[in-house]
Amino acid sequence: MNILKIRGMPAALTAFAGLIIIFIVFGMIDPVVFRTANIQNLLRGMAIYLLIGIGQSFVLITGNIDLSIGSVVGMSAMVSATLMSRGVPVIPAMLITLACCLLVGVLNGLLVGRAKLPPFIATLGTMFMARGVAIMVNGNRNTGLISGETGISSESATTFRNFFYFGSTFGLFNTFWIAMVIFAVFFFILSKTRSGRHIYAIGSNVDAAKLSGVNVGATITKAYMVSAFCAFVVGLVRVAMTGMGFMEAGNMYEMFAVAAAVIGGISPMGGTGILLGTLAGASVWQTLENGLNMIGAQVGIQRLLIGAIVPLAVLIGVTFRRDSSIKLISKWFVPSNKN
Amino acid sequence: MGDYIVSMENIYKSFPGVKALDGVDFNLRAGEVLALLGENGAGKSTLMKILSGVYTRDAGEMSINGKPCGDISPKQAQELGVAIIHQELNMCRHLTVAENIFLGREKTRGDILLNSQMEAEAKRLLDNLKIDISPRQVVGDLPISKQQMVEIAKALSVNARVLIMDEPTSSLTAKEIDDLFRIIRELKQSGCGIVYISHRLEELQHITDRVTILRDGKYITSMNFNDTTIDEIITHMVGREITEKFPRLSCKKGKEIFSVSNLNAGRLVRDINFTLYEGEVVGFAGLIGAGRTELTRAIFGIDPKTGGEFMLDGKPIYINKPKDAIKAGVVLAPEDRKKDGLCTKLSIRQNLALPNLDILSSRFFGVVSKKKENELCKKAVESLKVKAHDINVDAANLSGGNQQKVVVGKWLARTSRVVMFDEPTRGIDVAAKVEIYNIINELKAQGVAVMIVSSEMPEILGISDRIIVMCDGRITGELIAENTTQNEVMTYATRFESKKSQLEETK
């Protein structure tokens, strides 16, 4: 089967092509970019954008949006770090945190899928609520070190931090591998399972899906739960990185997630895009950030250039699509009197 | 008779402000093709949506396969063997043919999709129907007619005992219609009951056994097709008494004002030629989807044109966007007041001023003159008798009739030459209708060319001097209102390019 015929593949490949060009250009400016250590760092950074991007992609494909991702990352970091810094062992702390995060996902799903609120409004609300919890949970302060006086033992803290951030396997950081495993699982779910199919169907034509017997509310809730789960993992990564919980962790991540998804060809209108695109989009985003850092660009110019990529990528995508839609429309409307 | 596969008795259904079904009876036998007929808004689609579980009825009995059923969901209807092909396509355009056919009842092992199995089955289904489409094609890439065939295949894939087709042929080619009719005959042989809704009366002879006619949400009659004639059917469809009053103002037909020649814009506006004269109202009649709204939109410069010329007062004019039309004096009061005609969250004053801001504001800084604005609004409100205690209230708070007056009022401040009304009295009460007719007559008396699109036959006959009938994007007839009848208009309105006979000629 022709690989280009796979839906969403052309957009994903375009983003990968862009990624390679960007990578090579930066490497030519400063060869340090090509060094193994940098590539290792780059992949670890990319993993974070990929994770939040996967979550946002699930929601975007249903034709909705999740603005609460960044706050759920913050909540995950603060809840888990608070628990661990008070001596709750790693595994129970993680499970409690997971439950809290999934609760936000379920709430989003109920508000958008059942109560039919506009997703922008519903998740704006949960965005503030989750951030509020993140700030409240340790009494309006960042946590101390998770291996502090009252915290977990320094051995288990080290294990936790190595598992999520500092350790590496086969020469690459664990964070990258965790993201890859999660990517593989959700890639499979989205492309090969009934739930995945329903996610596309709802984003494509919610009425048709409903009339075909698809449970729209439940499917949308599933998508928001995937998003919350991914944010949960990123929150843990943040705690592993710093060894403590910051109240502002994950700030703006929901927007980075939209950017990664959209660069990779996931349409915010729903119904199209594949996770491979999100992988490409997250890589483009991180490579730009990394490359600009390496050549010593200031934060302001970094944001400006990276920001320009988002509309540019979509413009390229729209131009591709426009051609085919013009063909399609002319097929519909031009009477075929040729014979 | 006991062999009814579907029977519905005394069905009532209301939507806010509309009584869609008013005690309708409906019966369908196994192995017959029943044509369900009626004008736009007669309640055909609503009745079928109740049968297929999309809507729930307010009152009445319904039984399928002899078993009474309460309120059902679309899924339950499917399980009872009722399949429907909706008038508006209901496909996920980003998914493939096979994915659409099996949507909602995918074949899976565990939760994992068995794609190749579904594709193979879809292929078998399509082959069976002699539809040449690959199950792997993305539906959005298919032409509309093929999408329609996929929808039919989808409906058949559930082993339907009752198949409802709502205007299935509207976008099919002659060959595809032929295939469809072959499929319908086969299904009939196998004992399926088929409900066929169509405005194309000339098609009925090829497949229909029986007809049931609705009008204004009421059951009118059922007949064997062979015992009746198309003329009789049309009479039953439109045969209502005209109770509304239409104030008619006779004016002398004056000089030519506006002419349209060879206008083309998409499939629903094809080779349109007509001329409007001073002192006459021209009504555009036709069925929904005949292209009348599209025509007004093309003239007003909303939708792109592929060709055509306009002459206004003897001079050619060029309209590429609504602004050009407004400048030239050609204006439109659109069909959907709330969507296209008004900014409902703005006040009456702001709405009236909106298209006239060029007149109302100073030349250099664009400051809107409050004084001029007040004058304009006062004049419009008084001359149109808009009932509002304050011109600063939101347009949303007005009744339908008064909203329509504001829509018209927007244009009266300018010296317009041509005013197009698209469904000017839809959803407004009788008294307000008469006031709108009076405004139309006033414009006519002032020498403005008036063009009205309306789906209400009595209105078209009552208010216009000349009637142009459209069908499927073309003008199929031109009649003098005083010398014509509803039946004659209906005959022209259903004069489709006969796809069936074309096919037979080529054979």
Side-chain angles (χ1 to χ4, degrees):
Chain A
M1 193 174 170
N2 188 343
I3 191 166
L4 284 173
K5 287 244 175 87
I6 299 173
R7 274 163 293 155
M9 191 58 93
L13 291 182
T14 314
F16 273 119
L19 169 68
I20 291 166
I21 293 169
I22 293 166
F23 187 61
I24 290 174
V25 167
F26 280 121
M28 284 184 347
I29 299 172
D30 186 348
V32 176
V33 169
F34 290 146
R35 283 210 192 136
T36 317
N38 186 54
I39 292 174
Q40 285 169 335
N41 275 326
L42 200 154
L43 289 177
R44 181 163 63 183
M46 183 277 284
I48 291 176
Y49 291 139
L50 174 61
L51 284 170
I52 53 173
I54 291 169
Q56 190 69 278
S57 298
F58 264 69
V59 177
L60 288 178
I61 293 172
T62 64
N64 293 299
I65 192 168
D66 188 355
L67 296 181
S68 69
I69 291 177
S71 297
V72 175
V73 170
M75 199 176 95
S76 162
M78 282 304 289
V79 171
S80 60
T82 303
L83 290 171
M84 287 190 256
S85 69
R86 296 189 182 181
V88 178
V90 174
I91 300 290
M94 276 168 49
L95 290 177
I96 294 168
T97 310
L98 175 62
C100 295
C101 294
L102 289 183
L103 206 63
V104 179
V106 172
L107 183 59
N108 281 333
L110 290 178
L111 290 175
V112 176
R114 292 276 147 95
K116 311 255 182 318
L117 283 186
F120 196 93
I121 309 290
T123 61
L124 185 73
T126 53
M127 172 183 105
F128 284 117
M129 287 161 66
R131 184 65 68 189
V133 172
I135 294 170
M136 258 167 28
V137 69
N138 193 44
N140 308 325
R141 279 181 308 164
N142 296 331
T143 70
L145 281 174
I146 51 172
S147 53
E149 263 174 53
T150 55
I152 52 176
S153 69
S154 63
E155 293 86 61
S156 45
T158 311
T159 316
F160 171 76
R161 297 184 66 179
N162 281 342
F163 182 82
F164 279 102
Y165 198 77
F166 291 103
S168 45
T169 310
F170 305 127
L172 293 172
F173 285 114
N174 287 343
T175 319
F176 171 75
W177 293 115
I178 291 170
M180 276 304 153
V181 169
I182 291 175
F183 172 79
V185 169
F186 285 124
F187 184 89
F188 182 81
I189 289 177
L190 194 56
S191 57
K192 299 284 179 219
T193 70
R194 189 199 308 251
S195 306
R197 177 69 48 79
H198 289 178
I199 282 173
Y200 280 105
I202 287 169
S204 179
N205 184 343
V206 68
D207 293 325
K210 205 182 298 165
L211 290 178
S212 302
V214 173
N215 188 338
V216 174
T219 308
I220 289 178
T221 305
K222 280 183 202 165
Y224 275 110
M225 286 175 73
V226 169
S227 180
F229 173 78
C230 292
F232 154 73
V233 177
V234 173
L236 295 182
V237 171
R238 293 292 309 234
V239 173
M241 183 171 102
T242 54
M244 54 191 283
F246 284 100
M247 294 185 294
E248 293 306 314
N251 214 354
M252 288 277 284
Y253 273 24
E254 61 282 344
M255 291 303 157
F256 296 156
V258 174
V262 165
I263 290 172
I266 297 206
S267 161
M269 313 299 290
T272 53
I274 54 175
L275 285 190
L276 220 51
T278 311
L279 175 63
S283 307
V284 166
W285 192 263
Q286 175 63 26
T287 308
L288 265 174
E289 209 173 81
N290 174 275
L292 289 167
N293 258 327
M294 299 306 278
I295 64 172
Q298 301 288 311
V299 176
I301 189 85
Q302 279 192 26
R303 275 288 156 87
L304 191 139
L305 285 177
I306 297 175
I309 291 295
V310 177
L312 190 72
V314 175
L315 267 178
I316 293 171
V318 168
T319 319
F320 277 137
R321 235 171 294 141
R322 194 177 287 152
D323 273 340
S324 62
S325 54
I326 284 175
K327 255 185 251 154
L328 190 71
I329 290 167
S330 56
K331 244 196 255 167
W332 292 347
F333 289 116
V334 177
S336 49
N337 315 330
K338 275 170 204 149
N339 42 351
Chain B
M1 258 189 260
D3 57 346
Y4 286 135
I5 186 166
V6 171
S7 83
M8 300 169 85
E9 264 171 55
N10 243 339
I11 303 287
Y12 286 87
K13 175 76 187 173
S14 299
F15 296 107
V18 197
K19 202 163 208 179
L21 293 174
D22 191 0
V24 170
D25 295 339
F26 176 85
N27 293 303
L28 178 71
R29 292 192 193 107
E32 75 169 352
V33 178
L34 175 85
L36 183 59
L37 304 173
E39 280 190 300
N40 297 323
K44 298 165 297 198
S45 294
T46 310
L47 186 67
M48 289 303 106
K49 282 185 176 166
I50 287 174
L51 178 55
S52 60
V54 180
Y55 295 154
T56 52
R57 57 191 186 270
D58 297 343
E61 302 296 317
M62 177 163 96
S63 61
I64 299 172
N65 291 325
K67 278 183 226 107
C69 30
D71 290 346
I72 51 173
S73 69
K75 191 148 196 179
Q76 285 168 316
Q78 238 178 49
E79 281 155 10
L80 287 166
V82 178
I84 182 163
I85 299 162
H86 290 279
Q87 189 171 5
E88 62 284 3
L89 288 171
N90 259 305
M91 299 260 103
C92 293
R93 26 177 305 115
H94 302 98
L95 301 188
T96 67
V97 171
E99 286 168 356
N100 265 294
I101 288 176
F102 286 97
L103 184 60
R105 39 189 197 88
E106 293 83 359
K107 293 197 181 308
T108 53
R109 186 183 299 124
D111 200 37
I112 298 164
L113 297 166
L114 300 170
N115 276 324
S116 45
Q117 199 177 320
M118 285 190 278
E119 274 169 19
E121 195 150 322
K123 180 100 183 68
R124 205 168 333 122
L125 200 68
L126 293 165
D127 284 348
N128 228 350
L129 302 176
K130 299 207 176 78
I131 302 171
D132 182 27
I133 307 172
S134 157
R136 280 188 179 171
Q137 270 216 283
V138 175
V139 163
D141 294 344
L142 294 169
I144 292 283
S145 65
K146 289 272 166 78
Q147 292 187 24
Q148 185 104 42
M149 298 306 270
V150 174
E151 184 119 47
I152 292 166
K154 178 179 174 180
L156 295 181
S157 71
V158 297
N159 288 325
R161 301 290 304 143
V162 177
L163 182 62
I164 304 160
M165 300 188 178
D166 196 348
E167 291 276 351
T169 59
S170 53
S171 53
L172 300 189
T173 65
K175 162 109 183 46
E176 287 161 339
I177 290 180
D178 206 37
D179 286 338
L180 177 66
F181 285 176
R182 181 181 51 74
I183 295 163
I184 289 178
R185 282 186 209 109
E186 282 172 17
L187 288 169
K188 189 174 126 179
Q189 299 268 299
S190 67
C192 246
I194 293 158
V195 184
Y196 191 85
I197 300 179
S198 179
H199 283 301
R200 295 159 184 264
L201 301 180
E202 96 280 351
E203 282 174 5
L204 299 182
Q205 51 177 311
H206 299 285
I207 45 166
T208 312
D209 301 312
R210 216 154 56 91
V211 296
T212 289
I213 298 171
L214 303 184
R215 188 202 312 146
D216 297 334
K218 293 197 177 67
Y219 171 82
I220 300 301
T221 184
S222 285
M223 308 176 276
N224 281 331
F225 186 75
N226 289 334
D227 304 341
T228 183
T229 61
I230 296 284
D231 280 343
E232 194 186 349
I233 290 172
I234 290 180
T235 308
H236 282 300
M237 281 164 65
V238 298
R240 86 189 102 188
E241 281 177 58
I242 301 172
T243 50
E244 291 125 334
K245 218 172 143 33
F246 299 99
R248 194 191 277 278
L249 181 79
S250 49
C251 288
K252 238 184 80 198
K253 189 164 163 178
K255 63 181 191 334
E256 183 180 321
I257 294 183
F258 182 64
S259 76
V260 171
S261 44
N262 300 322
L263 179 64
N264 276 290
R267 202 185 70 82
L268 286 175
V269 179
R270 294 186 280 165
D271 297 324
I272 300 293
N273 291 287
F274 67 91
T275 306
L276 303 177
Y277 295 88
E278 197 171 69
E280 70 163 358
V281 172
V282 177
F284 279 72
L287 301 164
I288 286 174
R292 296 166 301 159
T293 294
E294 288 75 6
L295 172 63
T296 62
R297 288 174 63 91
I299 294 175
F300 196 51
I302 306 168
D303 297 332
K305 296 176 261 293
T306 47
E309 279 120 48
F310 303 131
M311 296 277 276
L312 183 66
D313 292 320
K315 286 187 283 289
I317 57 166
Y318 303 97
I319 300 174
N320 291 318
K321 49 184 187 293
K323 199 171 174 181
D324 299 341
I326 296 168
K327 274 208 175 128
V330 179
V331 299
L332 169 70
E335 181 179 15
D336 190 339
R337 284 190 290 278
K338 291 201 178 100
K339 182 168 155 282
D340 298 329
L342 286 174
C343 303
T344 47
K345 286 175 185 159
L346 298 186
S347 66
I348 300 174
R349 171 211 292 276
Q350 285 165 313
N351 270 292
L352 286 170
L354 187 59
N356 305 309
L357 289 173
D358 53 339
I359 309 171
L360 296 176
S361 55
S362 64
R363 186 170 306 173
F364 293 111
F365 298 108
V367 179
V368 179
S369 157
K370 198 99 184 172
K371 203 175 130 227
K372 285 189 198 162
E373 199 182 39
N374 279 337
E375 274 168 31
L376 177 142
C377 293
K378 211 171 146 224
K379 229 171 77 188
V381 168
E382 276 170 14
S383 68
L384 296 174
K385 302 192 190 81
V386 178
K387 287 182 201 79
H389 52 89
D390 183 355
I391 56 168
N392 291 313
V393 302
D394 284 0
N397 298 337
L398 295 174
S399 69
N402 280 309
Q403 284 184 345
Q404 188 66 35
K405 287 182 201 167
V406 174
V407 174
V408 178
K410 280 165 51 168
W411 302 120
L412 298 189
R414 317 182 73 94
T415 43
S416 300
R417 294 297 291 144
V418 181
V419 181
M420 298 183 278
F421 291 92
D422 194 356
E423 304 284 359
T425 63
R426 172 170 295 171
I428 67 182
D429 62 68
V430 182
K433 277 184 185 175
V434 174
E435 287 181 51
I436 299 284
Y437 299 143
N438 284 332
I439 294 167
I440 290 170
N441 282 335
E442 214 165 289
L443 289 170
K444 173 174 151 185
Q446 284 167 16
V448 175
V450 183
M451 169 175 164
I452 297 176
V453 170
S454 173
S455 295
E456 280 185 51
M457 203 67 94
E459 173 172 289
I460 284 274
L461 289 167
I463 198 71
S464 35
D465 300 294
R466 190 153 55 96
I467 298 171
I468 293 176
V469 191
M470 287 183 71
C471 175
D472 214 13
R474 294 163 307 118
I475 292 179
T476 48
E478 192 170 328
L479 306 156
I480 301 299
E482 283 176 357
N483 309 334
T484 188
T485 60
Q486 291 194 30
N487 290 10
E488 194 178 3
V489 174
M490 200 58 166
T491 310
Y492 284 111
T494 51
R495 184 164 286 180
F496 290 89
E497 289 168 290
S498 183
K499 293 168 176 173
K500 194 67 192 165
S501 54
Q502 268 173 24
L503 183 80
E504 268 148 22
E505 276 162 29
T506 58
K507 264 183 184 169

